[in-house]
Amino acid sequence: KLVNIRLKNVAIKKHFKPLLAIHGITLCYAAFGMLDTPLLRFSSHSEYQTGIYVFSIKLIRTASSLITDFLLVLFPFSIAVQQNNSSLWKSKIRESSSLILMFSIPMTVGIFTVAPVLTRLYFGQGFTEIAISLRWLSSLVFLVSLELFLNKQLLLANHLENATLKVAGFCSLI
């Protein structure tokens, strides 16, 4: 069978501004992920230091992605509920924040705690500096999860895309 798609009387213009704001927010946050290693390589002039950071941040980003990808499923539901039922939305936001705390805090503490053992097992005895870097960066798991909650489930669900874009732009400049 063929699917007949009709695009008559579709008000698509009203969606462009929020869509551009959401993509701008994503671009601002992605700038950190794309530019951190080249900027470190440029400023440190040491491939060894850059390598230590790259190994550490890959593990941190993998842990953060596990939490954020799991919790992004709640985003469309929180918008739908927020528009129809305020008390149910508040309850779901509490549940979502509890889930974020339940996953991100133990993962942050766990990475901080097992960093030396993990480094020794995965990289060997000669790379103990990676454990120090992992410990410093372990708090990013919690911060990225908190950012997801504040950005996607609170600000964007309340149609505050422009305010979020301004904060994201300011943070990416820092």
Side-chain angles (χ1 to χ4, degrees):
K1 282 184 163 178
L2 293 174
V3 177
N4 190 7
I5 299 174
R6 294 187 186 131
L7 296 176
K8 293 181 181 179
N9 300 325
V10 176
I12 204 163
K13 284 186 178 181
K14 69 179 182 178
H15 299 290
F16 278 135
K17 190 174 180 182
L19 188 63
L20 286 175
I22 290 171
H23 285 299
I25 293 164
T26 304
L27 182 64
C28 288
Y29 285 122
F32 167 74
M34 291 184 289
L35 296 176
D36 61 344
T37 305
L39 288 175
L40 181 65
R41 185 175 295 148
F42 177 73
S43 65
S44 74
H45 302 292
S46 170
E47 291 177 2
Y48 181 74
Q49 291 173 345
T50 305
I52 288 172
Y53 174 77
V54 168
F55 284 128
S56 302
I57 201 68
K58 281 185 179 181
L59 182 67
I60 298 299
R61 285 187 183 144
T62 302
S64 298
S65 294
L66 288 173
I67 296 172
T68 56
D69 291 351
F70 174 70
L71 295 172
L72 272 176
V73 175
L74 301 172
F75 176 58
F77 180 73
S78 67
I79 289 178
V81 170
Q82 190 264 349
Q83 293 173 347
N84 297 325
N85 188 342
S86 179
S87 62
L88 181 60
W89 181 72
K90 288 177 184 176
S91 136
K92 292 300 175 187
I93 289 297
R94 275 193 290 281
E95 288 176 13
S96 180
S97 64
S98 296
L99 277 172
I100 288 171
L101 293 174
M102 184 177 76
F103 287 120
S104 65
I105 290 175
M107 195 172 287
T108 299
V109 172
I111 290 172
F112 185 86
T113 305
V114 301
V117 175
L118 183 68
T119 303
R120 212 173 315 114
L121 286 174
Y122 190 71
F123 299 108
Q125 291 290 340
F127 294 96
T128 55
E129 292 89 359
I130 294 175
I132 298 166
S133 179
L134 265 175
R135 284 187 160 176
W136 275 98
L137 294 172
S138 66
S139 63
L140 282 178
V141 175
F142 173 72
L143 293 174
V144 167
S145 302
L146 183 64
E147 176 270 324
L148 170 90
F149 173 72
L150 294 174
N151 185 13
K152 300 281 188 209
Q153 293 185 349
L154 289 180
L155 294 175
L156 293 180
N158 287 308
H159 306 292
L160 296 171
E161 294 91 358
N162 291 333
T164 308
L165 180 60
K166 289 175 187 173
V167 170
F170 177 74
C171 290
S172 66
L173 289 176
I174 292 175

